[in-house]
Amino acid sequence: MSTITDTAGNTNEHDHHDDHHHGAPKGIMRWLLTTNHKDIGTLYLWFAFIMFLVGGAMAMVIRAELFQPGLQIVDPNFFNQMTTVHGLIMVFGAVMPAFTGLANWLVPMMIGAPDMALPRMNNWSFWILPFAFLILLASLFMEGGGPSFGWTFYAPLSTTYSSDSTALFVFSVHIMGISSIMGAINVIVTIINMRAPGMTLMKMPMFVWTWLITAFLLIAVMPVLAAAVTMVLTDKYFGTDFFNAAGGGDPVMFQHIFWFFGHPEVYIMILPAFGIISHIIPTFSRKKLFGYASMVYATASIALLSFVVWAHHMFTTGMPVGAELFFMVATMLISVPTGVKVFNWVATMWQGSMTFEIPMLFAISFIVLFTIGGLSGLMLAITPVDFQYHDTYFVVAHFHYVLVTGAVFSIMAAVYYWLPKWTGKMFDIRLAKWHFWCSLVSVNVLFFPMHFVGLAGMPRRIPDYALQFADFNQWISIGGFAFGLSQLIFLALVIKACRKQGEPVTDQVWDGAEGLEWEIPSPAPYHTFDTPPVVR
Amino acid sequence: MIENDGQKNGVTAANSVPPANHTKTVGKLFLLTVFMFGFGFALVPLYEVFCEITGINGRTDDSAAVYESVEVDETRTITVDFITRTSTGMPWEFTVDTKRVEVHPGELSQVNFYVRNPARRDIVAQAIPSVSPGSAALYVNKTECFCFQHQPLESGGETLMPMTFFIDPQLPDNITYFTLQYTLFDITERAGETVDVAMNTTLGD
């Protein structure tokens, strides 16, 4: 892959700093007005972390209610609001902004560009995001409550039976969508137009590749989500009948439109994770990534296939057998490129001089646990058995394995991997080990028993359950509280790192790390690659 | 202010690539965004056409079919179940005189549906058919159906609504049994609005 040979542009980075760049301005205005990709990356990451804690607090409410059978802590309507807003916040507020933050920080540094292509739009795409979530969270305090129809907002739950705050939900999703689309356009333009001389497409680091493909997915499907919420809005408030059978509409059509967005969306949340893991595994195995080209093609084929599998979310809506077979086979086909990736990572580790620093620990547990989530996904793809699994906790177990131990673990791995480059100091390794081991154990106590209660028939999104599920649910709740608390260790660690406490690190940080971002000084200067490096 | 200036300088220096370069790319991506937003809405007619061709959503044709020179296939007998239901908030009683008929494909048969409006207000209803399995929907031809029009009924009123249908002899061999369900929706408000709007327009003219 890319080996840098000419870093002349950066050797005097510190002098540069005093010459024609005024470093980072001070105070709140720095953050409000910033157009610097590193500042915006930091803002995105902090925002995502705060939303992760907010959404996590809602999960704690859910798990507290489900600790025992019966209704004890919250009323069912509030429980429904918690499951809904937990999902929305974690998807649109935590995972997606965290990946956008990583893209902001890393893409320009990895391709040798001085900044993102459209810095001012970059500022906008971040700063509209807090307002979107303020609107969403404020709706919880309205009369009648916030959205309570699940993050998938199926009609007619979101039209006929929703509370008056649905308009706020719709507008907040619109703003999130605009933010994501602007971010995606920025990433694509940056990658297409601003690569350093010599950085051909097939020399790009995997994180850049996966983000390029993710950005195209975002542009392709976020507008479809916007169309879906707009139809919900007009159905509810302006008398249209898109999803109303009485007026000639079709509620099942909502599910088709939603999942046409929704399935590519789940790959939006995992492809950048694949990129991150493809950086960390080679570094700590001290080998080149095995099968770089096949990784690129696998990512692209996952993205393409994601457009033809949406109806596997809808097997029980009464589709013709032919359609069910098609969507079953298409879904199973996705495990081929995904398997290519997993085997490539394993082959990269094979006979490598492996060491187990914190990012590597997260990366390896990502591979194992994401594969578990992938396998339960394969089970769900089988149409006849999906009739049993549909809408049970088995589904909840599946998508939390791929999103928490998949996407979220990869984000944490990325933060541990690049944090020393950002701050110039090694993070507190003792705290990091505590964070890793507590998270790893608790996350499995939290999500693994969900498979069992799901197979035994416990439905999802219900505040009460049959008595026989009580023991497992206590385990699940205890795991949930432990996982939630473990993230406070991470919070403490990141705050400590931001205060620049810790041992100084070298430019390369990790013995074995390769790529342009490891050739600039640590901490990464405010402006990098004013003169593009030459990649040979 | 100084801080702002510093910021601006940073931006100018950072944008060393000519911006014209970006405008073209951004323009294309923006067009793609707009196209996909339109595509989201285009999915609605696309879905309707797709369902009309394949019948997967179980909707029968909402216009009357003509019963002319249809060959009756006496070698096969199809069982048809009828289900009646009312949507939430719809107070009508809604029943069918025959819960199940056994017919040959091509044979014309009539079923009577009974409705009564026990509410204190006049209600306009709309019946929506749904065939399960959906693949049979394409072969259900109705020569007469109450679902083709709005059904107004004054408070306390009752009526019999006939439905005459025949099954297309082209019906695939694997279908021997299907269910035809009607759901009644209260569309008084919607229908009333239409009337009001029409009257206002006339007055305005």
Side-chain angles (χ1 to χ4, degrees), chain A residues 320, chain B residues 53-54 73 75-79 105 131 133-140 167-178:
Chain B
I53 296 168
T54 61
D73 181 358
T75 57
R76 298 161 65 196
T77 309
I78 312 295
T79 310
V131 174
S135 40
L138 290 180
Y139 305 95
V140 179
I167 299 167
D168 190 328
Q170 306 284 322
L171 183 80
D173 283 338
N174 62 339
I175 303 177
T176 56
Y177 171 65
F178 65 84

Side-chain angles (χ1 to χ4, degrees), chain A residues 169-187:
Chain A
F169 157 81
V170 169
F171 294 139
S172 103
V173 171
H174 271 309
I175 301 173
M176 294 167 201
I178 291 168
S179 161
S180 302
I181 291 168
M182 291 202 295
I185 290 179
N186 217 338
V187 167

Side-chain angles (χ1 to χ4, degrees), chain A residues 134-147:
Chain A
L134 266 179
I135 292 174
L136 181 66
L137 289 171
S139 75
L140 287 173
F141 300 97
M142 283 185 65
E143 209 180 309

Side-chain angles (χ1 to χ4, degrees), chain B residues 8 17 27 30 38 44 67 76 83 85 90 92 94 133 140 158 165 168 174 181 200:
Chain B
K8 271 181 195 155
V17 181
F30 181 73
V44 177
Y67 187 71
R76 298 161 65 196
I83 298 179
R85 62 182 289 265
M90 174 58 163
W92 285 15
F94 182 31
V140 179
E158 59 182 347
F165 76 103
D168 190 328
N174 62 339
Q181 171 188 286
N200 287 342

